Amino acid sequence: MEEEAQHTFDASIFSMESMSVETSTTIAESFAEAHRARDTAVLYKETIVPQARQTLESDQASYANGAVEFDRVMRDFRNLLMLELGYHQAITDLAVAVAKLQQAVGESTLLLQE
């Protein structure tokens, strides 16, 4: 009976250690994903989207003067929309990573506040 109890105890310890490793891995992965998504969103917001918007505005002005074809303005507009979609996808990825992190640690985090 003592031997059976020892095996049960050992199995419990192994199970707890496995859960601890799994939780630590989830936390590390979610934290890294949250930072990657945040960095991507900042890059889109501060650099990529404004440059695409500036290109569109410049080509719209050139189109008004007859220097640029209409299809170029449409390509610029489509490009801007796709880049804005990328920005919103990065925000979504950030929210998912933060939710996974909150679930793993069992409490709210401040990663979305900026």
Side-chain angles (χ1 to χ4, degrees):
M1 204 147 93
E2 283 181 35
E3 191 174 306
E4 185 178 330
Q6 185 63 43
H7 287 303
T8 302
F9 177 76
D10 291 343
S12 298
I13 294 295
F14 179 75
S15 177
M16 287 177 24
E17 288 173 355
S18 295
M19 287 187 336
S20 176
V21 168
E22 184 179 324
T23 301
S24 296
T25 301
T26 300
I27 290 170
E29 289 173 353
S30 297
F31 192 72
E33 177 63 21
H35 278 285
R36 184 210 55 80
R38 186 185 62 101
D39 292 345
T40 301
V42 167
L43 181 64
Y44 270 109
K45 182 180 180 182
E46 294 180 359
T47 305
I48 297 172
V49 171
Q51 287 176 353
R53 188 170 284 120
Q54 183 179 19
T55 299
L56 174 61
E57 290 169 358
S58 174
D59 283 348
Q60 283 175 327
S62 296
Y63 174 73
N65 297 328
V68 170
E69 296 292 321
F70 180 74
D71 60 333
R72 180 169 167 176
V73 175
M74 287 294 94
R75 268 195 315 268
D76 292 343
F77 185 67
R78 182 183 304 187
N79 186 45
L80 177 60
L81 290 177
M82 295 304 293
L83 293 172
E84 286 178 344
L85 179 65
Y87 167 72
H88 289 288
Q89 183 62 52
I91 295 296
T92 301
D93 292 346
L94 174 58
V96 169
V98 168
K100 286 181 182 178
L101 185 58
Q102 289 174 341
Q103 182 182 25
V105 299
E107 61 182 65
S108 295
T109 63
L110 300 176
L111 292 176
L112 284 178
Q113 297 178 355
E114 280 193 29

